Amino acid sequence: MFGKQLFEEVSSKISETIANSPAKDMEKNVKAMLGSAFNRMDLVTREEFDIQQQVLIKTRTKLAELEARLAKLEAAQEPEEAVLKAAEAAAEEAVAEIKQQTEAAE
């Protein structure tokens, strides 16, 4: 019991000493300085970056789908079979490229 009380007393004295030491003040100052520098750099968090990356992947996928749809509509107006095949091939390549980018991002 006496050992436990002594341990708690020593622990509280050490905590007080550390809290009042110049090292603690220096740590606070360095953190404030770094925080200020980071704010001026206009950095984004990793979470914000990941969200924007997902939005970009979805946008690219939608664009590829719309390009494929447009190619089919244009091919319907010009019934040449070669034009249709070329448009479909281009759209499939675009979708495949986006899927590869999505897999690489994950």
Side-chain angles (χ1 to χ4, degrees):
M1 179 148 178
F2 178 74
K4 184 177 179 181
Q5 183 181 12
L6 179 64
F7 177 74
E8 288 176 2
E9 199 173 302
V10 169
S11 176
S12 68
K13 294 282 185 186
I14 290 173
S15 296
E16 282 179 32
T17 304
I18 290 173
N20 296 329
S21 73
K24 189 71 172 174
D25 291 337
M26 238 172 86
E27 180 183 349
K28 287 179 186 177
N29 290 339
V30 168
K31 283 184 179 180
M33 236 172 39
L34 288 174
S36 174
F38 289 151
N39 285 338
R40 280 182 293 195
M41 287 185 203
D42 198 27
L43 301 174
V44 296
T45 64
R46 182 65 187 186
E47 182 180 324
E48 291 170 329
F49 176 80
D50 289 339
I51 289 170
Q52 288 302 313
Q53 186 177 30
Q54 292 300 318
V55 168
L56 179 60
I57 290 169
K58 287 179 184 178
T59 303
R60 285 182 175 171
T61 304
K62 184 69 174 178
L63 177 62
E65 291 171 359
L66 290 172
E67 286 175 342
R69 187 174 169 196
L70 178 61
K72 287 180 182 179
L73 290 171
E74 288 175 346
Q77 288 181 349
E78 299 174 16
E80 296 177 11
E81 198 169 308
V83 173
L84 177 60
K85 286 183 181 180
E88 287 176 351
E92 288 174 5
E93 285 178 14
V95 170
E97 180 182 323
I98 290 170
K99 285 182 181 178
Q100 287 176 348
Q101 289 175 353
T102 304
E103 291 171 359
E106 292 174 357

